[in-house]
mmCIF file of all heavy atoms in Angstrom:
data_model
loop_
_atom_site.group_PDB
_atom_site.id
_atom_site.type_symbol
_atom_site.label_atom_id
_atom_site.label_comp_id
_atom_site.label_asym_id
_atom_site.label_seq_id
_atom_site.Cartn_x
_atom_site.Cartn_y
_atom_site.Cartn_z
ATOM 1 N N ALA Z 1 9.837 -5.631 1.418
ATOM 2 C CA ALA Z 1 10.316 -5.253 0.088
ATOM 3 C C ALA Z 1 11.549 -4.356 0.174
ATOM 4 O O ALA Z 1 12.488 -4.496 -0.619
ATOM 5 C CB ALA Z 1 9.202 -4.552 -0.679
ATOM 6 N N ALA Z 2 11.548 -3.445 1.137
ATOM 7 C CA ALA Z 2 12.684 -2.528 1.292
ATOM 8 C C ALA Z 2 13.970 -3.281 1.626
ATOM 9 O O ALA Z 2 15.062 -2.921 1.154
ATOM 10 C CB ALA Z 2 12.376 -1.504 2.384
ATOM 11 N N ARG Z 3 13.856 -4.346 2.421
ATOM 12 C CA ARG Z 3 15.038 -5.142 2.783
ATOM 13 C C ARG Z 3 15.665 -5.807 1.567
ATOM 14 O O ARG Z 3 16.875 -6.011 1.509
ATOM 15 C CB ARG Z 3 14.666 -6.215 3.818
ATOM 16 C CG ARG Z 3 14.307 -5.682 5.176
ATOM 17 C CD ARG Z 3 14.576 -6.704 6.273
ATOM 18 N NE ARG Z 3 13.924 -7.979 6.047
ATOM 19 C CZ ARG Z 3 12.692 -8.277 6.455
ATOM 20 N NH1 ARG Z 3 11.962 -7.357 7.089
ATOM 21 N NH2 ARG Z 3 12.184 -9.465 6.233
ATOM 22 N N TYR Z 4 14.827 -6.145 0.602
ATOM 23 C CA TYR Z 4 15.315 -6.848 -0.581
ATOM 24 C C TYR Z 4 15.453 -5.926 -1.800
ATOM 25 O O TYR Z 4 15.836 -6.392 -2.878
ATOM 26 C CB TYR Z 4 14.368 -7.999 -0.934
ATOM 27 C CG TYR Z 4 14.427 -9.159 0.032
ATOM 28 C CD1 TYR Z 4 13.588 -9.216 1.143
ATOM 29 C CD2 TYR Z 4 15.329 -10.207 -0.163
ATOM 30 C CE1 TYR Z 4 13.632 -10.289 2.029
ATOM 31 C CE2 TYR Z 4 15.381 -11.281 0.719
ATOM 32 C CZ TYR Z 4 14.526 -11.318 1.809
ATOM 33 O OH TYR Z 4 14.583 -12.379 2.690
ATOM 34 N N GLY Z 5 15.142 -4.653 -1.643
ATOM 35 C CA GLY Z 5 15.245 -3.726 -2.756
ATOM 36 C C GLY Z 5 14.234 -3.996 -3.862
ATOM 37 O O GLY Z 5 14.547 -3.869 -5.052
ATOM 38 N N ILE Z 6 13.012 -4.341 -3.456
ATOM 39 C CA ILE Z 6 11.951 -4.699 -4.407
ATOM 40 C C ILE Z 6 10.856 -3.644 -4.356
ATOM 41 O O ILE Z 6 10.518 -3.135 -3.278
ATOM 42 C CB ILE Z 6 11.359 -6.079 -4.053
ATOM 43 C CG1 ILE Z 6 12.447 -7.159 -4.122
ATOM 44 C CG2 ILE Z 6 10.204 -6.435 -4.981
ATOM 45 C CD1 ILE Z 6 12.012 -8.474 -3.503
ATOM 46 N N ARG Z 7 10.268 -3.332 -5.477
ATOM 47 C CA ARG Z 7 9.163 -2.373 -5.516
ATOM 48 C C ARG Z 7 7.847 -3.033 -5.119
ATOM 49 O O ARG Z 7 7.673 -4.239 -5.293
ATOM 50 C CB ARG Z 7 9.050 -1.739 -6.901
ATOM 51 C CG ARG Z 7 10.277 -0.907 -7.261
ATOM 52 C CD ARG Z 7 10.003 0.038 -8.407
ATOM 53 N NE ARG Z 7 11.183 0.843 -8.721
ATOM 54 C CZ ARG Z 7 11.170 1.913 -9.497
ATOM 55 N NH1 ARG Z 7 10.038 2.315 -10.053
ATOM 56 N NH2 ARG Z 7 12.279 2.592 -9.732
ATOM 57 N N THR Z 8 6.924 -2.206 -4.611
ATOM 58 C CA THR Z 8 5.617 -2.710 -4.206
ATOM 59 C C THR Z 8 4.502 -1.997 -4.971
ATOM 60 O O THR Z 8 4.590 -0.798 -5.253
ATOM 61 C CB THR Z 8 5.391 -2.529 -2.698
ATOM 62 O OG1 THR Z 8 5.647 -1.161 -2.336
ATOM 63 C CG2 THR Z 8 6.283 -3.453 -1.892
ATOM 64 N N VAL Z 9 3.487 -2.776 -5.283
ATOM 65 C CA VAL Z 9 2.320 -2.271 -6.004
ATOM 66 C C VAL Z 9 1.069 -2.654 -5.221
ATOM 67 O O VAL Z 9 0.865 -3.832 -4.918
ATOM 68 C CB VAL Z 9 2.226 -2.875 -7.423
ATOM 69 C CG1 VAL Z 9 1.008 -2.328 -8.158
ATOM 70 C CG2 VAL Z 9 3.503 -2.612 -8.218
ATOM 71 N N GLU Z 10 0.253 -1.665 -4.898
ATOM 72 C CA GLU Z 10 -1.050 -1.946 -4.284
ATOM 73 C C GLU Z 10 -2.121 -1.902 -5.359
ATOM 74 O O GLU Z 10 -2.361 -0.856 -5.969
ATOM 75 C CB GLU Z 10 -1.383 -0.911 -3.213
ATOM 76 C CG GLU Z 10 -0.533 -0.995 -1.967
ATOM 77 C CD GLU Z 10 -0.917 0.083 -0.957
ATOM 78 O OE1 GLU Z 10 -2.130 0.212 -0.664
ATOM 79 O OE2 GLU Z 10 -0.014 0.811 -0.503
ATOM 80 N N ASP Z 11 -2.739 -3.049 -5.611
ATOM 81 C CA ASP Z 11 -3.934 -3.062 -6.447
ATOM 82 C C ASP Z 11 -5.102 -2.754 -5.521
ATOM 83 O O ASP Z 11 -5.637 -3.626 -4.849
ATOM 84 C CB ASP Z 11 -4.106 -4.426 -7.119
ATOM 85 C CG ASP Z 11 -5.343 -4.487 -8.006
ATOM 86 O OD1 ASP Z 11 -6.168 -3.541 -7.943
ATOM 87 O OD2 ASP Z 11 -5.506 -5.470 -8.743
ATOM 88 N N ALA Z 12 -5.460 -1.474 -5.493
ATOM 89 C CA ALA Z 12 -6.544 -1.006 -4.627
ATOM 90 C C ALA Z 12 -7.827 -0.795 -5.423
ATOM 91 O O ALA Z 12 -8.600 0.121 -5.146
ATOM 92 C CB ALA Z 12 -6.122 0.283 -3.924
ATOM 93 N N ALA Z 13 -8.041 -1.671 -6.412
ATOM 94 C CA ALA Z 13 -9.230 -1.552 -7.262
ATOM 95 C C ALA Z 13 -10.512 -1.544 -6.442
ATOM 96 O O ALA Z 13 -11.474 -0.856 -6.774
ATOM 97 C CB ALA Z 13 -9.266 -2.705 -8.279
ATOM 98 N N HIS Z 14 -10.518 -2.324 -5.345
ATOM 99 C CA HIS Z 14 -11.695 -2.404 -4.481
ATOM 100 C C HIS Z 14 -11.742 -1.293 -3.443
ATOM 101 O O HIS Z 14 -12.728 -1.186 -2.712
ATOM 102 C CB HIS Z 14 -11.690 -3.734 -3.703
ATOM 103 C CG HIS Z 14 -11.779 -4.961 -4.525
ATOM 104 N ND1 HIS Z 14 -11.894 -6.226 -3.964
ATOM 105 C CD2 HIS Z 14 -11.792 -5.153 -5.863
ATOM 106 C CE1 HIS Z 14 -11.947 -7.135 -4.910
ATOM 107 N NE2 HIS Z 14 -11.881 -6.510 -6.081
ATOM 108 N N ALA Z 15 -10.675 -0.491 -3.350
ATOM 109 C CA ALA Z 15 -10.382 0.160 -2.074
ATOM 110 C C ALA Z 15 -10.389 1.680 -2.065
ATOM 111 O O ALA Z 15 -9.762 2.280 -1.205
ATOM 112 C CB ALA Z 15 -9.034 -0.350 -1.565
ATOM 113 N N ILE Z 16 -11.112 2.334 -2.962
ATOM 114 C CA ILE Z 16 -11.219 3.781 -2.850
ATOM 115 C C ILE Z 16 -11.966 4.112 -1.558
ATOM 116 O O ILE Z 16 -13.013 3.532 -1.260
ATOM 117 C CB ILE Z 16 -11.909 4.408 -4.081
ATOM 118 C CG1 ILE Z 16 -11.772 5.934 -4.050
ATOM 119 C CG2 ILE Z 16 -13.359 3.992 -4.202
ATOM 120 C CD1 ILE Z 16 -12.138 6.615 -5.353
ATOM 121 N N GLY Z 17 -11.397 4.991 -0.746
ATOM 122 C CA GLY Z 17 -11.983 5.327 0.553
ATOM 123 C C GLY Z 17 -11.437 4.510 1.702
ATOM 124 O O GLY Z 17 -11.726 4.804 2.863
ATOM 125 N N MET Z 18 -10.648 3.490 1.407
ATOM 126 C CA MET Z 18 -10.014 2.687 2.449
ATOM 127 C C MET Z 18 -8.998 3.527 3.216
ATOM 128 O O MET Z 18 -8.384 4.431 2.656
ATOM 129 C CB MET Z 18 -9.313 1.495 1.798
ATOM 130 C CG MET Z 18 -8.613 0.542 2.753
ATOM 131 S SD MET Z 18 -7.544 -0.626 1.864
ATOM 132 C CE MET Z 18 -6.040 0.365 1.695
ATOM 133 N N GLU Z 19 -8.809 3.208 4.495
ATOM 134 C CA GLU Z 19 -7.809 3.899 5.305
ATOM 135 C C GLU Z 19 -6.862 2.886 5.945
ATOM 136 O O GLU Z 19 -7.253 1.746 6.226
ATOM 137 C CB GLU Z 19 -8.478 4.746 6.395
ATOM 138 C CG GLU Z 19 -9.313 5.897 5.844
ATOM 139 C CD GLU Z 19 -9.977 6.719 6.937
ATOM 140 O OE1 GLU Z 19 -9.561 6.591 8.111
ATOM 141 O OE2 GLU Z 19 -10.917 7.466 6.625
ATOM 142 N N TYR Z 20 -5.631 3.320 6.165
ATOM 143 C CA TYR Z 20 -4.632 2.479 6.826
ATOM 144 C C TYR Z 20 -3.777 3.372 7.713
ATOM 145 O O TYR Z 20 -3.210 4.356 7.248
ATOM 146 C CB TYR Z 20 -3.766 1.764 5.787
ATOM 147 C CG TYR Z 20 -2.708 0.853 6.367
ATOM 148 C CD1 TYR Z 20 -3.047 -0.366 6.938
ATOM 149 C CD2 TYR Z 20 -1.357 1.224 6.348
ATOM 150 C CE1 TYR Z 20 -2.077 -1.204 7.466
ATOM 151 C CE2 TYR Z 20 -0.384 0.402 6.871
ATOM 152 C CZ TYR Z 20 -0.748 -0.815 7.435
ATOM 153 O OH TYR Z 20 0.208 -1.640 7.965
ATOM 154 N N LYS Z 21 -3.765 3.047 8.995
ATOM 155 C CA LYS Z 21 -3.011 3.829 9.982
ATOM 156 C C LYS Z 21 -3.345 5.315 9.897
ATOM 157 O O LYS Z 21 -2.472 6.180 9.939
ATOM 158 C CB LYS Z 21 -1.513 3.574 9.837
ATOM 159 C CG LYS Z 21 -1.139 2.122 10.130
ATOM 160 C CD LYS Z 21 0.291 1.929 10.541
ATOM 161 C CE LYS Z 21 0.466 0.504 11.076
ATOM 162 N NZ LYS Z 21 1.821 0.231 11.562
ATOM 163 N N GLY Z 22 -4.640 5.592 9.754
ATOM 164 C CA GLY Z 22 -5.135 6.963 9.776
ATOM 165 C C GLY Z 22 -5.001 7.736 8.482
ATOM 166 O O GLY Z 22 -5.358 8.909 8.429
ATOM 167 N N LYS Z 23 -4.497 7.087 7.437
ATOM 168 C CA LYS Z 23 -4.334 7.773 6.153
ATOM 169 C C LYS Z 23 -5.020 6.991 5.038
ATOM 170 O O LYS Z 23 -5.134 5.770 5.107
ATOM 171 C CB LYS Z 23 -2.844 7.935 5.823
ATOM 172 C CG LYS Z 23 -2.075 8.801 6.796
ATOM 173 C CD LYS Z 23 -0.612 8.901 6.375
ATOM 174 C CE LYS Z 23 0.194 9.762 7.345
ATOM 175 N NZ LYS Z 23 1.630 9.843 6.945
ATOM 176 N N LYS Z 24 -5.441 7.701 4.031
ATOM 177 C CA LYS Z 24 -6.058 7.049 2.882
ATOM 178 C C LYS Z 24 -4.989 6.334 2.062
ATOM 179 O O LYS Z 24 -3.832 6.732 2.024
ATOM 180 C CB LYS Z 24 -6.802 8.066 2.023
ATOM 181 C CG LYS Z 24 -8.048 8.627 2.695
ATOM 182 C CD LYS Z 24 -8.800 9.550 1.758
ATOM 183 C CE LYS Z 24 -10.128 9.992 2.381
ATOM 184 N NZ LYS Z 24 -9.927 10.824 3.579
ATOM 185 N N ALA Z 25 -5.417 5.277 1.389
ATOM 186 C CA ALA Z 25 -4.505 4.564 0.492
ATOM 187 C C ALA Z 25 -3.982 5.523 -0.563
ATOM 188 O O ALA Z 25 -4.659 6.456 -0.971
ATOM 189 C CB ALA Z 25 -5.250 3.403 -0.170
ATOM 190 N N GLY Z 26 -2.751 5.247 -1.005
ATOM 191 C CA GLY Z 26 -2.232 6.049 -2.098
ATOM 192 C C GLY Z 26 -0.843 6.585 -1.900
ATOM 193 O O GLY Z 26 -0.254 7.119 -2.839
ATOM 194 N N GLY Z 27 -0.262 6.431 -0.711
ATOM 195 C CA GLY Z 27 1.067 6.967 -0.484
ATOM 196 C C GLY Z 27 2.000 6.029 0.253
ATOM 197 O O GLY Z 27 3.119 6.404 0.591
#
């Protein structure tokens, strides 16, 4: 998305408490 200048949206409706690369979703 950054290469094309496009925004990204995570629909994490299922994913409270999920982790990615050692951090919680949300940032």
Side-chain angles (χ1 to χ4, degrees):
R3 291 206 305 271
Y4 289 91
I6 299 168
R7 296 197 179 193
T8 52
V9 180
E10 290 179 50
D11 180 350
H14 297 185
I16 190 167
M18 181 192 85
E19 295 180 16
Y20 181 73
K21 296 203 169 183
K23 297 180 180 179
K24 291 184 174 65

